[in-house]
Amino acid sequence: QVLLVESGGESVQAGGSLRLSCAASGRTFSINVMGWFRQAPGKEREFVTAIRWSDGSTYIADSVKGRFTISGDKARKTVYLQMNSLKPEDTAVYYCATSQFRSIGTSQELYNSWGQGTQVTVSE
C-alpha cells in the first residue's frame, strides 16, 4: 500500500504562483508514475500532469501547459507541481496519484493510490 500526503494548497490571487508537494511512503517500489489530477466544484476529476520515474519523462495537459511544471525527487519519492500564472479556473482540489503502469496515462483508472487532496483557490 502506498500512502500519499499532499501539501501546499492555498488561496492566491490570479497571476500568482503556488508549489504543491506530494510525498509517497509505504510500498513505493511499486510506483512507476506519479501524477496530479484536479477536481473543480461541479466538475469531474481531470488529469493535470505526471512524471515517469524510469526516465524522468513528463506529460502535461494542454489546459495548463506553459504555466504548470512537474518535477520530482526519485530518491525521496516526492513530486512537486509548480503552478505559475494562476487563473480562477485553476481553482480545484488537487490530488496526487501513483500508477504501477510503465507508461504515463491520463485516465484515473490507471492510478491505484490517491492522496486526500489539497485545496487551491484562485481569486480575481
Side-chain angles (χ1 to χ4, degrees), residues 7-10 12 15-21 36 38 48-49 64 66-70 80-87 90-92 94 118-122:
S7 62
E10 291 182 14
V12 296
S17 297
L18 280 177
R19 187 193 196 206
L20 306 183
S21 300
W36 291 94
R38 68 183 182 182
V48 177
T49 184
V64 301
R67 299 187 298 120
F68 290 13
T69 304
I70 188 171
Y80 307 95
L81 180 63
Q82 179 66 42
M83 305 185 293
N84 299 326
S85 302
L86 282 162
K87 304 175 182 180
D90 295 318
T91 295
Y94 284 72
T118 185
Q119 176 71 47
V120 172
T121 302
V122 185

PDB file of all heavy atoms in Angstrom, residues 7-10 12 15-21 36 38 48-49 64 66-70 80-87 90-92 94 118-122:
ATOM      1  N   SER A   7       0.667  18.676   0.087  1.00  0.00           N
ATOM      2  CA  SER A   7       0.715  19.923   0.832  1.00  0.00           C
ATOM      3  C   SER A   7       0.938  21.064  -0.142  1.00  0.00           C
ATOM      4  O   SER A   7       1.339  20.851  -1.288  1.00  0.00           O
ATOM      5  CB  SER A   7       1.828  19.892   1.880  1.00  0.00           C
ATOM      6  OG  SER A   7       3.087  19.747   1.251  1.00  0.00           O
ATOM      7  N   GLY A   8       0.688  22.280   0.347  1.00  0.00           N
ATOM      8  CA  GLY A   8       0.982  23.466  -0.442  1.00  0.00           C
ATOM      9  C   GLY A   8      -0.225  24.204  -0.977  1.00  0.00           C
ATOM     10  O   GLY A   8      -0.080  25.300  -1.518  1.00  0.00           O
ATOM     11  N   GLY A   9      -1.402  23.642  -0.834  1.00  0.00           N
ATOM     12  CA  GLY A   9      -2.588  24.323  -1.330  1.00  0.00           C
ATOM     13  C   GLY A   9      -2.904  25.553  -0.493  1.00  0.00           C
ATOM     14  O   GLY A   9      -2.811  25.531   0.728  1.00  0.00           O
ATOM     15  N   GLU A  10      -3.276  26.635  -1.187  1.00  0.00           N
ATOM     16  CA  GLU A  10      -3.588  27.899  -0.514  1.00  0.00           C
ATOM     17  C   GLU A  10      -4.576  28.695  -1.353  1.00  0.00           C
ATOM     18  O   GLU A  10      -4.928  28.290  -2.461  1.00  0.00           O
ATOM     19  CB  GLU A  10      -2.322  28.739  -0.341  1.00  0.00           C
ATOM     20  CG  GLU A  10      -1.290  28.231   0.628  1.00  0.00           C
ATOM     21  CD  GLU A  10      -0.116  29.188   0.742  1.00  0.00           C
ATOM     22  OE1 GLU A  10      -0.222  30.330   0.279  1.00  0.00           O
ATOM     23  OE2 GLU A  10       0.916  28.774   1.299  1.00  0.00           O
ATOM     24  N   VAL A  12      -4.829  32.120  -3.396  1.00  0.00           N
ATOM     25  CA  VAL A  12      -3.964  33.129  -4.001  1.00  0.00           C
ATOM     26  C   VAL A  12      -4.760  33.967  -4.978  1.00  0.00           C
ATOM     27  O   VAL A  12      -5.865  33.583  -5.392  1.00  0.00           O
ATOM     28  CB  VAL A  12      -2.763  32.483  -4.739  1.00  0.00           C
ATOM     29  CG1 VAL A  12      -1.871  31.742  -3.787  1.00  0.00           C
ATOM     30  CG2 VAL A  12      -3.261  31.585  -5.869  1.00  0.00           C
ATOM     31  N   GLY A  15      -2.784  35.296 -11.216  1.00  0.00           N
ATOM     32  CA  GLY A  15      -1.448  35.712 -11.601  1.00  0.00           C
ATOM     33  C   GLY A  15      -0.369  35.237 -10.651  1.00  0.00           C
ATOM     34  O   GLY A  15       0.825  35.327 -10.962  1.00  0.00           O
ATOM     35  N   GLY A  16      -0.787  34.737  -9.502  1.00  0.00           N
ATOM     36  CA  GLY A  16       0.168  34.280  -8.516  1.00  0.00           C
ATOM     37  C   GLY A  16       0.690  32.885  -8.790  1.00  0.00           C
ATOM     38  O   GLY A  16       0.337  32.250  -9.812  1.00  0.00           O
ATOM     39  N   SER A  17       1.520  32.402  -7.880  1.00  0.00           N
ATOM     40  CA  SER A  17       2.144  31.088  -8.028  1.00  0.00           C
ATOM     41  C   SER A  17       1.985  30.282  -6.761  1.00  0.00           C
ATOM     42  O   SER A  17       1.880  30.833  -5.660  1.00  0.00           O
ATOM     43  CB  SER A  17       3.640  31.234  -8.336  1.00  0.00           C
ATOM     44  OG  SER A  17       3.853  31.903  -9.562  1.00  0.00           O
ATOM     45  N   LEU A  18       1.985  28.977  -6.936  1.00  0.00           N
ATOM     46  CA  LEU A  18       1.968  28.050  -5.817  1.00  0.00           C
ATOM     47  C   LEU A  18       2.811  26.842  -6.181  1.00  0.00           C
ATOM     48  O   LEU A  18       2.948  26.507  -7.371  1.00  0.00           O
ATOM     49  CB  LEU A  18       0.551  27.574  -5.491  1.00  0.00           C
ATOM     50  CG  LEU A  18      -0.362  28.476  -4.691  1.00  0.00           C
ATOM     51  CD1 LEU A  18      -1.740  27.831  -4.567  1.00  0.00           C
ATOM     52  CD2 LEU A  18       0.216  28.781  -3.329  1.00  0.00           C
ATOM     53  N   ARG A  19       3.319  26.179  -5.153  1.00  0.00           N
ATOM     54  CA  ARG A  19       4.051  24.938  -5.365  1.00  0.00           C
ATOM     55  C   ARG A  19       3.448  23.877  -4.466  1.00  0.00           C
ATOM     56  O   ARG A  19       3.458  24.008  -3.241  1.00  0.00           O
ATOM     57  CB  ARG A  19       5.528  25.104  -5.040  1.00  0.00           C
ATOM     58  CG  ARG A  19       6.381  23.906  -5.407  1.00  0.00           C
ATOM     59  CD  ARG A  19       7.751  24.002  -4.791  1.00  0.00           C
ATOM     60  NE  ARG A  19       8.717  23.096  -5.392  1.00  0.00           N
ATOM     61  CZ  ARG A  19       9.782  22.640  -4.744  1.00  0.00           C
ATOM     62  NH1 ARG A  19      10.024  23.030  -3.497  1.00  0.00           N
ATOM     63  NH2 ARG A  19      10.620  21.824  -5.358  1.00  0.00           N
ATOM     64  N   LEU A  20       2.909  22.839  -5.078  1.00  0.00           N
ATOM     65  CA  LEU A  20       2.366  21.719  -4.344  1.00  0.00           C
ATOM     66  C   LEU A  20       3.407  20.624  -4.225  1.00  0.00           C
ATOM     67  O   LEU A  20       4.223  20.434  -5.120  1.00  0.00           O
ATOM     68  CB  LEU A  20       1.124  21.165  -5.042  1.00  0.00           C
ATOM     69  CG  LEU A  20      -0.002  22.149  -5.360  1.00  0.00           C
ATOM     70  CD1 LEU A  20      -1.185  21.406  -5.984  1.00  0.00           C
ATOM     71  CD2 LEU A  20      -0.432  22.914  -4.122  1.00  0.00           C
ATOM     72  N   SER A  21       3.344  19.903  -3.118  1.00  0.00           N
ATOM     73  CA  SER A  21       4.246  18.774  -2.900  1.00  0.00           C
ATOM     74  C   SER A  21       3.429  17.531  -2.591  1.00  0.00           C
ATOM     75  O   SER A  21       2.334  17.618  -2.033  1.00  0.00           O
ATOM     76  CB  SER A  21       5.189  19.049  -1.727  1.00  0.00           C
ATOM     77  OG  SER A  21       5.982  20.186  -1.961  1.00  0.00           O
ATOM     78  N   TRP A  36      -0.554  14.305 -10.985  1.00  0.00           N
ATOM     79  CA  TRP A  36      -1.505  15.208 -10.348  1.00  0.00           C
ATOM     80  C   TRP A  36      -2.797  15.254 -11.162  1.00  0.00           C
ATOM     81  O   TRP A  36      -2.765  15.341 -12.398  1.00  0.00           O
ATOM     82  CB  TRP A  36      -0.936  16.625 -10.266  1.00  0.00           C
ATOM     83  CG  TRP A  36       0.210  16.773  -9.323  1.00  0.00           C
ATOM     84  CD1 TRP A  36       1.540  16.693  -9.615  1.00  0.00           C
ATOM     85  CD2 TRP A  36       0.134  17.039  -7.914  1.00  0.00           C
ATOM     86  NE1 TRP A  36       2.285  16.885  -8.491  1.00  0.00           N
ATOM     87  CE2 TRP A  36       1.451  17.108  -7.427  1.00  0.00           C
ATOM     88  CE3 TRP A  36      -0.920  17.241  -7.021  1.00  0.00           C
ATOM     89  CZ2 TRP A  36       1.743  17.357  -6.088  1.00  0.00           C
ATOM     90  CZ3 TRP A  36      -0.624  17.485  -5.696  1.00  0.00           C
ATOM     91  CH2 TRP A  36       0.684  17.542  -5.238  1.00  0.00           C
ATOM     92  N   ARG A  38      -6.915  17.107 -10.770  1.00  0.00           N
ATOM     93  CA  ARG A  38      -7.644  18.143 -10.046  1.00  0.00           C
ATOM     94  C   ARG A  38      -9.140  18.003 -10.296  1.00  0.00           C
ATOM     95  O   ARG A  38      -9.560  17.483 -11.334  1.00  0.00           O
ATOM     96  CB  ARG A  38      -7.165  19.537 -10.449  1.00  0.00           C
ATOM     97  CG  ARG A  38      -7.508  19.940 -11.874  1.00  0.00           C
ATOM     98  CD  ARG A  38      -6.915  21.318 -12.178  1.00  0.00           C
ATOM     99  NE  ARG A  38      -7.262  21.768 -13.533  1.00  0.00           N
ATOM    100  CZ  ARG A  38      -6.835  22.909 -14.057  1.00  0.00           C
ATOM    101  NH1 ARG A  38      -6.046  23.722 -13.353  1.00  0.00           N
ATOM    102  NH2 ARG A  38      -7.199  23.244 -15.285  1.00  0.00           N
ATOM    103  N   VAL A  48      -3.829  16.416 -14.796  1.00  0.00           N
ATOM    104  CA  VAL A  48      -3.061  17.646 -14.938  1.00  0.00           C
ATOM    105  C   VAL A  48      -1.685  17.342 -15.526  1.00  0.00           C
ATOM    106  O   VAL A  48      -1.317  17.850 -16.581  1.00  0.00           O
ATOM    107  CB  VAL A  48      -2.917  18.369 -13.587  1.00  0.00           C
ATOM    108  CG1 VAL A  48      -2.044  19.619 -13.750  1.00  0.00           C
ATOM    109  CG2 VAL A  48      -4.286  18.736 -13.023  1.00  0.00           C
ATOM    110  N   THR A  49      -0.932  16.489 -14.839  1.00  0.00           N
ATOM    111  CA  THR A  49       0.414  16.180 -15.295  1.00  0.00           C
ATOM    112  C   THR A  49       0.940  14.968 -14.544  1.00  0.00           C
ATOM    113  O   THR A  49       0.417  14.599 -13.496  1.00  0.00           O
ATOM    114  CB  THR A  49       1.351  17.386 -15.081  1.00  0.00           C
ATOM    115  OG1 THR A  49       2.651  17.095 -15.615  1.00  0.00           O
ATOM    116  CG2 THR A  49       1.492  17.717 -13.590  1.00  0.00           C
ATOM    117  N   VAL A  64      -2.963  23.473 -18.963  1.00  0.00           N
ATOM    118  CA  VAL A  64      -2.007  24.086 -18.037  1.00  0.00           C
ATOM    119  C   VAL A  64      -0.605  24.182 -18.621  1.00  0.00           C
ATOM    120  O   VAL A  64       0.320  24.666 -17.949  1.00  0.00           O
ATOM    121  CB  VAL A  64      -1.961  23.336 -16.691  1.00  0.00           C
ATOM    122  CG1 VAL A  64      -3.338  23.320 -16.042  1.00  0.00           C
ATOM    123  CG2 VAL A  64      -1.432  21.917 -16.894  1.00  0.00           C
ATOM    124  N   GLY A  66       2.675  25.307 -20.200  1.00  0.00           N
ATOM    125  CA  GLY A  66       3.285  26.627 -20.207  1.00  0.00           C
ATOM    126  C   GLY A  66       3.152  27.364 -18.891  1.00  0.00           C
ATOM    127  O   GLY A  66       3.832  28.381 -18.675  1.00  0.00           O
ATOM    128  N   ARG A  67       2.276  26.878 -18.019  1.00  0.00           N
ATOM    129  CA  ARG A  67       2.085  27.523 -16.715  1.00  0.00           C
ATOM    130  C   ARG A  67       2.452  26.582 -15.562  1.00  0.00           C
ATOM    131  O   ARG A  67       2.955  27.041 -14.533  1.00  0.00           O
ATOM    132  CB  ARG A  67       0.633  27.971 -16.555  1.00  0.00           C
ATOM    133  CG  ARG A  67       0.184  28.978 -17.593  1.00  0.00           C
ATOM    134  CD  ARG A  67      -1.213  29.514 -17.272  1.00  0.00           C
ATOM    135  NE  ARG A  67      -2.231  28.473 -17.267  1.00  0.00           N
ATOM    136  CZ  ARG A  67      -2.974  28.173 -16.203  1.00  0.00           C
ATOM    137  NH1 ARG A  67      -2.796  28.815 -15.058  1.00  0.00           N
ATOM    138  NH2 ARG A  67      -3.898  27.223 -16.292  1.00  0.00           N
ATOM    139  N   PHE A  68       2.188  25.308 -15.725  1.00  0.00           N
ATOM    140  CA  PHE A  68       2.459  24.328 -14.672  1.00  0.00           C
ATOM    141  C   PHE A  68       3.649  23.456 -15.067  1.00  0.00           C
ATOM    142  O   PHE A  68       3.832  23.138 -16.250  1.00  0.00           O
ATOM    143  CB  PHE A  68       1.260  23.423 -14.450  1.00  0.00           C
ATOM    144  CG  PHE A  68       0.061  24.077 -13.822  1.00  0.00           C
ATOM    145  CD1 PHE A  68      -0.048  25.457 -13.706  1.00  0.00           C
ATOM    146  CD2 PHE A  68      -0.985  23.300 -13.333  1.00  0.00           C
ATOM    147  CE1 PHE A  68      -1.146  26.046 -13.129  1.00  0.00           C
ATOM    148  CE2 PHE A  68      -2.096  23.876 -12.745  1.00  0.00           C
ATOM    149  CZ  PHE A  68      -2.179  25.255 -12.655  1.00  0.00           C
ATOM    150  N   THR A  69       4.409  23.051 -14.074  1.00  0.00           N
ATOM    151  CA  THR A  69       5.550  22.167 -14.306  1.00  0.00           C
ATOM    152  C   THR A  69       5.605  21.123 -13.202  1.00  0.00           C
ATOM    153  O   THR A  69       5.470  21.458 -12.025  1.00  0.00           O
ATOM    154  CB  THR A  69       6.866  22.954 -14.304  1.00  0.00           C
ATOM    155  OG1 THR A  69       6.805  24.000 -15.276  1.00  0.00           O
ATOM    156  CG2 THR A  69       8.040  22.035 -14.629  1.00  0.00           C
ATOM    157  N   ILE A  70       5.820  19.883 -13.582  1.00  0.00           N
ATOM    158  CA  ILE A  70       6.002  18.819 -12.600  1.00  0.00           C
ATOM    159  C   ILE A  70       7.477  18.488 -12.505  1.00  0.00           C
ATOM    160  O   ILE A  70       8.203  18.503 -13.512  1.00  0.00           O
ATOM    161  CB  ILE A  70       5.181  17.563 -12.964  1.00  0.00           C
ATOM    162  CG1 ILE A  70       5.223  16.545 -11.818  1.00  0.00           C
ATOM    163  CG2 ILE A  70       5.657  16.946 -14.281  1.00  0.00           C
ATOM    164  CD1 ILE A  70       4.269  15.371 -11.987  1.00  0.00           C
ATOM    165  N   TYR A  80       6.569  17.444  -7.189  1.00  0.00           N
ATOM    166  CA  TYR A  80       6.197  18.825  -6.981  1.00  0.00           C
ATOM    167  C   TYR A  80       5.419  19.316  -8.198  1.00  0.00           C
ATOM    168  O   TYR A  80       5.699  18.922  -9.327  1.00  0.00           O
ATOM    169  CB  TYR A  80       7.443  19.683  -6.791  1.00  0.00           C
ATOM    170  CG  TYR A  80       8.372  19.176  -5.718  1.00  0.00           C
ATOM    171  CD1 TYR A  80       9.465  18.358  -6.032  1.00  0.00           C
ATOM    172  CD2 TYR A  80       8.142  19.474  -4.378  1.00  0.00           C
ATOM    173  CE1 TYR A  80      10.303  17.885  -5.050  1.00  0.00           C
ATOM    174  CE2 TYR A  80       8.984  18.995  -3.385  1.00  0.00           C
ATOM    175  CZ  TYR A  80      10.055  18.204  -3.723  1.00  0.00           C
ATOM    176  OH  TYR A  80      10.879  17.713  -2.748  1.00  0.00           O
ATOM    177  N   LEU A  81       4.475  20.193  -7.931  1.00  0.00           N
ATOM    178  CA  LEU A  81       3.736  20.833  -9.010  1.00  0.00           C
ATOM    179  C   LEU A  81       3.899  22.332  -8.854  1.00  0.00           C
ATOM    180  O   LEU A  81       3.342  22.925  -7.922  1.00  0.00           O
ATOM    181  CB  LEU A  81       2.258  20.435  -8.963  1.00  0.00           C
ATOM    182  CG  LEU A  81       1.386  21.061 -10.058  1.00  0.00           C
ATOM    183  CD1 LEU A  81       1.851  20.602 -11.437  1.00  0.00           C
ATOM    184  CD2 LEU A  81      -0.086  20.698  -9.844  1.00  0.00           C
ATOM    185  N   GLN A  82       4.695  22.908  -9.716  1.00  0.00           N
ATOM    186  CA  GLN A  82       4.884  24.347  -9.720  1.00  0.00           C
ATOM    187  C   GLN A  82       3.820  24.968 -10.616  1.00  0.00           C
ATOM    188  O   GLN A  82       3.746  24.651 -11.801  1.00  0.00           O
ATOM    189  CB  GLN A  82       6.279  24.710 -10.238  1.00  0.00           C
ATOM    190  CG  GLN A  82       6.549  26.196 -10.295  1.00  0.00           C
ATOM    191  CD  GLN A  82       6.588  26.843  -8.929  1.00  0.00           C
ATOM    192  OE1 GLN A  82       7.161  26.295  -7.984  1.00  0.00           O
ATOM    193  NE2 GLN A  82       5.947  28.007  -8.794  1.00  0.00           N
ATOM    194  N   MET A  83       3.026  25.835 -10.032  1.00  0.00           N
ATOM    195  CA  MET A  83       1.917  26.445 -10.756  1.00  0.00           C
ATOM    196  C   MET A  83       2.136  27.949 -10.825  1.00  0.00           C
ATOM    197  O   MET A  83       2.170  28.615  -9.786  1.00  0.00           O
ATOM    198  CB  MET A  83       0.587  26.130 -10.067  1.00  0.00           C
ATOM    199  CG  MET A  83       0.353  24.632  -9.869  1.00  0.00           C
ATOM    200  SD  MET A  83      -1.278  24.267  -9.196  1.00  0.00           S
ATOM    201  CE  MET A  83      -1.114  24.968  -7.554  1.00  0.00           C
ATOM    202  N   ASN A  84       2.293  28.451 -12.017  1.00  0.00           N
ATOM    203  CA  ASN A  84       2.504  29.882 -12.233  1.00  0.00           C
ATOM    204  C   ASN A  84       1.344  30.478 -13.021  1.00  0.00           C
ATOM    205  O   ASN A  84       0.559  29.756 -13.648  1.00  0.00           O
ATOM    206  CB  ASN A  84       3.811  30.114 -12.993  1.00  0.00           C
ATOM    207  CG  ASN A  84       5.025  29.606 -12.242  1.00  0.00           C
ATOM    208  OD1 ASN A  84       5.086  29.649 -11.013  1.00  0.00           O
ATOM    209  ND2 ASN A  84       6.019  29.133 -12.984  1.00  0.00           N
ATOM    210  N   SER A  85       1.255  31.782 -12.993  1.00  0.00           N
ATOM    211  CA  SER A  85       0.208  32.499 -13.740  1.00  0.00           C
ATOM    212  C   SER A  85      -1.164  31.875 -13.472  1.00  0.00           C
ATOM    213  O   SER A  85      -1.928  31.594 -14.407  1.00  0.00           O
ATOM    214  CB  SER A  85       0.524  32.469 -15.232  1.00  0.00           C
ATOM    215  OG  SER A  85       1.783  33.055 -15.494  1.00  0.00           O
ATOM    216  N   LEU A  86      -1.468  31.669 -12.216  1.00  0.00           N
ATOM    217  CA  LEU A  86      -2.711  31.001 -11.855  1.00  0.00           C
ATOM    218  C   LEU A  86      -3.928  31.815 -12.272  1.00  0.00           C
ATOM    219  O   LEU A  86      -3.916  33.060 -12.239  1.00  0.00           O
ATOM    220  CB  LEU A  86      -2.735  30.737 -10.355  1.00  0.00           C
ATOM    221  CG  LEU A  86      -1.880  29.537  -9.918  1.00  0.00           C
ATOM    222  CD1 LEU A  86      -1.586  29.603  -8.432  1.00  0.00           C
ATOM    223  CD2 LEU A  86      -2.561  28.232 -10.285  1.00  0.00           C
ATOM    224  N   LYS A  87      -4.958  31.080 -12.648  1.00  0.00           N
ATOM    225  CA  LYS A  87      -6.215  31.682 -13.092  1.00  0.00           C
ATOM    226  C   LYS A  87      -7.346  31.195 -12.187  1.00  0.00           C
ATOM    227  O   LYS A  87      -7.239  30.115 -11.585  1.00  0.00           O
ATOM    228  CB  LYS A  87      -6.506  31.259 -14.533  1.00  0.00           C
ATOM    229  CG  LYS A  87      -5.408  31.575 -15.527  1.00  0.00           C
ATOM    230  CD  LYS A  87      -5.748  31.015 -16.903  1.00  0.00           C
ATOM    231  CE  LYS A  87      -4.640  31.289 -17.900  1.00  0.00           C
ATOM    232  NZ  LYS A  87      -4.964  30.742 -19.245  1.00  0.00           N
ATOM    233  N   ASP A  90      -8.316  27.646 -12.337  1.00  0.00           N
ATOM    234  CA  ASP A  90      -7.446  26.634 -11.750  1.00  0.00           C
ATOM    235  C   ASP A  90      -7.912  26.235 -10.354  1.00  0.00           C
ATOM    236  O   ASP A  90      -7.347  25.308  -9.745  1.00  0.00           O
ATOM    237  CB  ASP A  90      -5.999  27.144 -11.661  1.00  0.00           C
ATOM    238  CG  ASP A  90      -5.382  27.380 -13.030  1.00  0.00           C
ATOM    239  OD1 ASP A  90      -5.596  26.542 -13.926  1.00  0.00           O
ATOM    240  OD2 ASP A  90      -4.683  28.401 -13.186  1.00  0.00           O
ATOM    241  N   THR A  91      -8.914  26.929  -9.849  1.00  0.00           N
ATOM    242  CA  THR A  91      -9.452  26.595  -8.527  1.00  0.00           C
ATOM    243  C   THR A  91      -9.981  25.178  -8.524  1.00  0.00           C
ATOM    244  O   THR A  91     -10.823  24.811  -9.358  1.00  0.00           O
ATOM    245  CB  THR A  91     -10.579  27.576  -8.151  1.00  0.00           C
ATOM    246  OG1 THR A  91     -10.026  28.878  -8.004  1.00  0.00           O
ATOM    247  CG2 THR A  91     -11.247  27.151  -6.854  1.00  0.00           C
ATOM    248  N   ALA A  92      -9.479  24.380  -7.591  1.00  0.00           N
ATOM    249  CA  ALA A  92      -9.852  22.969  -7.534  1.00  0.00           C
ATOM    250  C   ALA A  92      -9.162  22.316  -6.344  1.00  0.00           C
ATOM    251  O   ALA A  92      -8.267  22.911  -5.733  1.00  0.00           O
ATOM    252  CB  ALA A  92      -9.431  22.247  -8.818  1.00  0.00           C
ATOM    253  N   TYR A  94      -6.599  19.553  -5.648  1.00  0.00           N
ATOM    254  CA  TYR A  94      -5.536  18.890  -6.403  1.00  0.00           C
ATOM    255  C   TYR A  94      -5.151  17.598  -5.690  1.00  0.00           C
ATOM    256  O   TYR A  94      -4.855  17.605  -4.485  1.00  0.00           O
ATOM    257  CB  TYR A  94      -4.336  19.814  -6.543  1.00  0.00           C
ATOM    258  CG  TYR A  94      -4.577  20.888  -7.583  1.00  0.00           C
ATOM    259  CD1 TYR A  94      -5.451  21.939  -7.334  1.00  0.00           C
ATOM    260  CD2 TYR A  94      -3.950  20.838  -8.824  1.00  0.00           C
ATOM    261  CE1 TYR A  94      -5.703  22.912  -8.301  1.00  0.00           C
ATOM    262  CE2 TYR A  94      -4.179  21.799  -9.792  1.00  0.00           C
ATOM    263  CZ  TYR A  94      -5.061  22.832  -9.529  1.00  0.00           C
ATOM    264  OH  TYR A  94      -5.307  23.795 -10.484  1.00  0.00           O
ATOM    265  N   THR A 118      -5.481  18.589  -1.848  1.00  0.00           N
ATOM    266  CA  THR A 118      -5.168  19.877  -1.245  1.00  0.00           C
ATOM    267  C   THR A 118      -5.881  20.964  -2.048  1.00  0.00           C
ATOM    268  O   THR A 118      -5.870  20.944  -3.274  1.00  0.00           O
ATOM    269  CB  THR A 118      -3.640  20.105  -1.191  1.00  0.00           C
ATOM    270  OG1 THR A 118      -3.349  21.320  -0.494  1.00  0.00           O
ATOM    271  CG2 THR A 118      -3.016  20.172  -2.581  1.00  0.00           C
ATOM    272  N   GLN A 119      -6.512  21.884  -1.346  1.00  0.00           N
ATOM    273  CA  GLN A 119      -7.355  22.891  -1.989  1.00  0.00           C
ATOM    274  C   GLN A 119      -6.517  24.053  -2.508  1.00  0.00           C
ATOM    275  O   GLN A 119      -5.701  24.628  -1.775  1.00  0.00           O
ATOM    276  CB  GLN A 119      -8.400  23.418  -1.000  1.00  0.00           C
ATOM    277  CG  GLN A 119      -9.264  24.536  -1.538  1.00  0.00           C
ATOM    278  CD  GLN A 119     -10.245  24.054  -2.595  1.00  0.00           C
ATOM    279  OE1 GLN A 119     -10.925  23.041  -2.410  1.00  0.00           O
ATOM    280  NE2 GLN A 119     -10.338  24.795  -3.704  1.00  0.00           N
ATOM    281  N   VAL A 120      -6.753  24.389  -3.754  1.00  0.00           N
ATOM    282  CA  VAL A 120      -6.157  25.572  -4.363  1.00  0.00           C
ATOM    283  C   VAL A 120      -7.306  26.493  -4.787  1.00  0.00           C
ATOM    284  O   VAL A 120      -8.198  26.070  -5.530  1.00  0.00           O
ATOM    285  CB  VAL A 120      -5.294  25.215  -5.584  1.00  0.00           C
ATOM    286  CG1 VAL A 120      -4.855  26.479  -6.323  1.00  0.00           C
ATOM    287  CG2 VAL A 120      -4.086  24.399  -5.153  1.00  0.00           C
ATOM    288  N   THR A 121      -7.282  27.706  -4.297  1.00  0.00           N
ATOM    289  CA  THR A 121      -8.316  28.670  -4.635  1.00  0.00           C
ATOM    290  C   THR A 121      -7.658  29.911  -5.232  1.00  0.00           C
ATOM    291  O   THR A 121      -6.775  30.502  -4.607  1.00  0.00           O
ATOM    292  CB  THR A 121      -9.131  29.066  -3.395  1.00  0.00           C
ATOM    293  OG1 THR A 121      -9.705  27.892  -2.816  1.00  0.00           O
ATOM    294  CG2 THR A 121     -10.237  30.035  -3.776  1.00  0.00           C
ATOM    295  N   VAL A 122      -8.085  30.278  -6.425  1.00  0.00           N
ATOM    296  CA  VAL A 122      -7.528  31.434  -7.113  1.00  0.00           C
ATOM    297  C   VAL A 122      -8.628  32.473  -7.280  1.00  0.00           C
ATOM    298  O   VAL A 122      -9.654  32.206  -7.909  1.00  0.00           O
ATOM    299  CB  VAL A 122      -6.946  31.056  -8.483  1.00  0.00           C
ATOM    300  CG1 VAL A 122      -6.269  32.264  -9.126  1.00  0.00           C
ATOM    301  CG2 VAL A 122      -5.957  29.903  -8.349  1.00  0.00           C
TER     302      VAL A 122
END
